[in-house]
Every structure is written in structure tokens, then in C-alpha cells.
Amino acid sequence: MNEVFDLIYRFLIWLSSITGFTYHEVNIIIYFILIPAFFVFLISLLSRNKYWILGYLLIVLILITTIPDFRAFSDVIFDKSVSFLNWFENLGLNYVQASVIICVVIPSLILIALVFFNFRKDKT
């Protein structure tokens, strides 16, 4: 798990260096905006309802335009995410293990399921 965590951490650090965003901002953009956007896109394909995408984009647009300081917002949300992941110590998982399970394994399983159901839908 440490290797997966380190690989993703280094990737996010690299993204922050090329985009000019902080590590916290990149983390929030990826995990709270882009990954959910991809899930919403796959759900909209599955349901054949474009309003999922439009609704998600509207929510993101409203949030982005109403947040006065995205860097400060990202710092707060990142700190709350760290607290959430540290809570899993109550279940015997350390921060790295909880991060990999919550931020990599579970989204990967959701992605696999959504892709599977989308391909299956296309064959029926």
C-alpha cells in the first residue's frame, strides 16, 4: 500500500508543479471534482440522461464562482479529508492504508462497475 500511496503522492506533487496549484488544490480538484465528474458522466451514459452531467456542471460552476479563495478552501477541505482518513485508525487502518482504500480501491471498483454496466448496456 505504501508504494501505491507514494506513487499517487508523487504524481499529485508533479501535477502541482506543472499547474501552479498547490498540492492541496490539486488533490481537491482531482478527488472532489474530476473523479466525481467522470462517475457522473458514466452514470449519465448508463441512464441515457444528460441532465446528470448538466446538473453536476451547474453545481460545480456555482461552487467555483462562490468560493472566494480556492486555495484556502482547498486547505480546509484537505485537512477535513485527512481527519476523515485518520478516523479509520479506529478500525485498525493507518492513514496510508485508509487513503489507498478510500481514494484508490473504492473509486477503482466504482469505475470498473460503471464501465462494465455501460458496456453491457451497449450489447443489449
Side-chain angles (χ1 to χ4, degrees):
M1 286 209 188
N2 288 339
E3 295 82 10
V4 172
F5 181 88
D6 288 340
L7 178 70
I8 291 171
Y9 174 77
R10 283 186 267 124
F11 175 70
L12 294 176
I13 290 290
W14 175 77
L15 277 178
S16 70
S17 72
I18 65 167
T19 62
F21 288 114
T22 66
Y23 170 77
H24 292 177
E25 289 172 309
V26 168
N27 194 295
I28 297 309
I29 290 167
I30 300 250
Y31 285 102
F32 288 81
I33 298 173
L34 295 180
I35 290 174
F38 192 58
F39 290 165
V40 168
F41 172 74
L42 290 172
I43 290 168
S44 71
L45 289 178
L46 188 60
S47 67
R48 296 182 177 146
N49 185 340
K50 64 183 175 205
Y51 295 111
W52 283 95
I53 297 171
L54 295 174
Y56 183 79
L57 290 175
L58 181 63
I59 290 168
V60 169
L61 181 64
I62 290 169
L63 288 174
I64 288 174
T65 58
T66 59
I67 296 170
D69 183 352
F70 188 72
R71 180 170 287 178
F73 173 80
S74 296
D75 289 342
V76 169
I77 299 300
F78 183 85
D79 290 343
K80 291 193 181 291
S81 298
V82 169
S83 295
F84 172 73
L85 293 170
N86 281 328
W87 177 87
F88 285 90
E89 288 180 4
N90 297 319
L91 302 177
L93 298 173
N94 65 33
Y95 176 79
V96 169
Q97 293 166 328
S99 294
V100 171
I101 291 169
I102 300 295
C103 303
V104 178
V105 173
I106 291 175
S108 296
L109 292 173
I110 293 169
L111 175 64
I112 289 167
L114 288 171
V115 168
F116 171 78
F117 286 118
N118 268 292
F119 279 120
R120 186 168 171 224
K121 173 196 73 154
D122 290 341
K123 294 191 182 220
T124 57

